[in-house]
């Protein structure tokens, strides 16, 4: 993946400087107005929770503790701000959410990029989130490469696209082209081979294959290391089995190689800005995907039919008068069988 990103960066830089060879690239100019940032953020997570249970007539209690949340961010960005984007903070701290980064084009033509990695712990769960993209925009074409890893949404892919761009006017443009996505084989379900004829999951045999031991007569359930993890059927089924299934599916998915998907892509961008009213919207749709007849092609998990992958965003703001204003912002993505989205809406009233 790192090699692919490096190749893409070199290619896009070359596009940005077509009259110069690689040795003549002005890196000072290339990174001018870019910002490198690193930051650590933290805070209290869920409060401790008392859990009570009864075993052989005796009351037992345990305390579930959730460690504090944190986020370690490392990033490099060079993206021109749109008119509605105010830089309220003096420093980048890694908590910024600029939804306009998802648009096909920026405010200015030329080369823009974002490289950001966030190692975080949220409510006791650890994630590594990464979002990198490089885009080069001109009047007639758009070239973009993007890598996204969202641990909370459980999606990870690398995408490149090459599009012809048609400017309808200074505010609205259309684009069409090709996209290539490299990802794990989404749609593959490792648990399907453990389904019984009645649709139930034969999780007992699966757990035994994974190394767990079950002693029904003594109510002892041991993990592959010989540790007792449950002393009742209820705890075994409600606590241990879900973790067994989660670990199994994750391991089986990680054993598979990434697959590449070639698709047709079309999109639009619209941007209008005045101090009292602004509207920024964009959208993309992939209506056709090449079937390479691979064993783990998404076509196999979709009854060998085509499907629609799409993404889009909307940023709206309106100041009715000097006191009252409203805003609506959101973005939505659907790739394969994964969906992830954010939105916010609000009203502001300033008292003079």
């Amino acid at each position: 993946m790192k090699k692919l990103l490096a190749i893409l960066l070199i290619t896009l830089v070359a596009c940005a400087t077509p009259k110069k060879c690689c040795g003549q690239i002005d890196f000072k100019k290339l990174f001018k107005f870019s910002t490198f940032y690193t930051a650590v953020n933290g805070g209290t997570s869920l409060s401790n929770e008392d859990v009570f249970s009864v075993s052989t007539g005796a009351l037992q209690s345990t305390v579930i503790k959730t460690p504090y949340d944190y986020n370690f961010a490392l990033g490099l960005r060079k993206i021109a701000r749109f008119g509605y984007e105010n830089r309220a903070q003096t420093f980048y701290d890694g908590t910024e959410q600029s939804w306009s980064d998802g648009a096909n084009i920026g405010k200015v033509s030329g080369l823009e990029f974002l490289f950001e990695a966030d190692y975080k712990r949220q409510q006791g769960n650890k994630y590594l989130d990464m979002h990198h993209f490089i885009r080069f925009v001109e009047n007639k074409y758009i070239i973009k490469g993007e890598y996204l890893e969202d641990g909370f949404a459980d999606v990870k892919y690398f995408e490149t696209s090459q599009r012809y761009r048609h400017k309808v006017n200074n505010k609205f443009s259309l684009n069409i082209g090709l996209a290539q996505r490299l990802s794990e084989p989404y749609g593959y379900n490792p648990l399907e081979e453990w389904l019984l004829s009645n649709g139930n999951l034969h999780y007992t045999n699966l757990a035994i294959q994974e190394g767990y031991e079950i002693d029904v007569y003594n109510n002892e359930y041991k993990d592959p290391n010989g540790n007792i993890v449950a002393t009742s059927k209820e705890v075994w089924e409600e606590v241990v089995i879900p973790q067994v299934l989660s670990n199994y599916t994750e391991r089986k998915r990680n054993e598979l190689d990434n697959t590449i998907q070639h698709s047709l892509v079309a999109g639009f961008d619209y941007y209008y800005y005045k101090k009292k009213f602004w509207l920024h919207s964009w959208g993309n749709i992939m209506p056709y995907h090449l079937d390479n007849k691979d064993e783990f092609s998404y076509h196999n998990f979709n009854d060998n039919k085509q499907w629609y992958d799409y993404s889009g965003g909307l940023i709206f703001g309106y100041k009715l008068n000097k006191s009252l204003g409203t805003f609506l912002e959101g973005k939505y993505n659907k790739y394969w069988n994964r969906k992830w989205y954010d939105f916010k809406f609000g009203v502001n009233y300033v008292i003079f």
Side-chain angles (χ1 to χ4, degrees):
M1 191 62 66
K2 293 180 179 178
K3 292 181 179 179
L4 288 173
L5 288 172
I7 293 172
L8 179 62
L9 176 60
I10 294 172
T11 302
L12 290 177
V13 169
C15 291
T17 57
K19 296 183 180 180
K20 298 181 180 181
C21 68
C22 295
Q24 294 176 308
I25 295 176
D26 189 345
F27 285 97
K28 183 177 180 180
K29 183 178 179 180
L30 176 65
F31 290 99
K32 187 177 182 180
F33 301 122
S34 64
T35 303
F36 172 79
Y37 55 94
T38 179
V40 178
N41 304 278
T44 304
S45 187
L46 298 174
S47 61
N48 295 342
E49 181 180 359
D50 295 326
V51 179
F52 301 95
S53 61
V54 177
S55 178
T56 63
L59 178 64
Q60 298 179 347
S61 65
T62 57
V63 179
I64 299 177
K65 297 182 179 180
T66 304
Y68 66 91
D69 294 344
Y70 64 78
N71 178 21
F72 173 68
L74 182 68
L76 173 68
R77 65 183 293 130
K78 180 184 178 181
I79 306 173
R81 292 193 299 272
F82 288 91
Y84 54 80
E85 293 181 305
N86 295 319
R87 180 71 188 279
Q89 295 175 310
T90 304
F91 298 102
Y92 282 108
D93 60 16
T95 63
E96 295 82 7
Q97 238 190 358
S98 182
W99 291 352
S100 63
D101 292 348
N104 299 314
I105 62 176
K107 184 181 179 183
V108 299
S109 298
L111 183 70
E112 293 187 311
F113 52 80
L114 167 69
F115 298 96
E116 181 170 330
D118 297 89
Y119 183 71
K120 61 180 66 174
R121 182 170 64 195
Q122 184 175 349
Q123 298 180 8
N125 297 315
K126 294 181 180 180
Y127 302 101
L128 175 62
D129 290 348
M130 290 193 286
H131 187 202
H132 315 313
F133 77 77
I134 310 170
R135 68 183 173 207
F136 188 77
V137 180
E138 282 294 350
N139 289 333
K140 295 294 184 180
Y141 64 90
I142 303 171
I143 302 175
K144 185 177 181 180
E146 180 178 30
Y147 176 74
L148 176 70
E149 181 174 350
D150 190 325
F152 202 76
D154 190 25
V155 64
K156 179 171 62 175
Y157 64 88
F158 175 70
E159 175 182 314
T160 58
S161 62
Q162 311 81 34
R163 313 188 195 191
Y164 166 75
R165 180 190 181 200
H166 174 66
K167 293 182 66 175
V168 179
N169 51 47
N170 291 331
K171 302 179 181 64
F172 182 60
S173 69
L174 301 169
N175 61 77
I176 187 170
L178 301 175
Q180 306 81 34
R181 291 175 292 173
L182 185 69
S183 70
E184 68 172 76
Y186 289 113
Y188 166 66
N189 182 8
L191 297 179
E192 285 187 351
E193 60 182 286
W194 295 96
L195 291 177
L196 300 173
S197 58
N198 60 2
N200 293 333
L201 184 67
H202 204 333
Y203 55 80
T204 302
N205 278 3
L206 191 156
I208 293 174
Q209 176 186 282
E210 292 298 289
Y212 286 81
E213 297 180 15
I214 302 175
D215 187 345
V216 179
Y217 299 102
N218 295 316
N219 278 331
E220 289 186 351
Y221 302 82
K222 298 180 180 179
D223 65 13
N225 297 320
N227 302 313
I228 297 178
V229 292
T231 56
S232 68
K233 182 180 179 181
E234 291 74 21
V235 174
W236 169 251
E237 293 182 344
E238 296 179 12
V239 179
V240 181
I241 286 298
Q243 188 61 49
V244 173
L245 300 180
S246 177
N247 293 340
Y248 176 78
T249 54
E250 182 178 3
R251 178 173 62 81
K252 296 294 287 186
R253 285 167 55 185
N254 291 338
E255 289 176 354
L256 299 179
D257 294 330
N258 289 334
T259 61
I260 187 166
Q261 182 75 67
H262 300 273
S263 307
L264 177 69
V265 61
F268 77 91
D269 286 84
Y270 181 84
Y271 174 64
Y272 176 83
Y273 174 76
K274 295 293 183 182
K275 288 186 177 180
K276 293 187 177 181
F277 173 79
W278 58 87
L279 176 62
H280 185 194
S281 63
W282 63 91
N284 300 283
I285 186 168
M286 298 181 186
Y288 179 81
H289 315 273
L290 182 65
D291 187 359
N292 57 9
K293 306 300 181 180
D294 184 83
E295 178 184 359
F296 297 103
S297 169
Y298 191 71
H299 289 82
N300 299 334
F301 310 117
N302 199 50
D303 299 326
N304 293 314
K305 298 178 181 178
Q306 293 291 336
W307 69 95
Y308 293 99
D309 286 339
Y310 48 86
S311 63
L314 173 68
I315 298 175
F316 166 81
Y318 180 45
K319 296 182 178 180
L320 287 78
N321 52 52
K322 68 176 183 179
S323 295
L324 181 62
T326 183
F327 65 91
L328 171 65
E329 300 181 7
K331 61 179 181 179
Y332 186 91
N333 299 269
K334 177 189 173 296
Y335 274 15
W336 305 290
N337 58 343
R338 294 291 192 272
K339 299 177 183 178
W340 64 102
Y341 51 87
D342 299 282
F343 67 89
K344 59 183 177 181
F345 167 76
V347 175
N348 285 188
Y349 186 84
V350 180
I351 300 175
F352 290 96

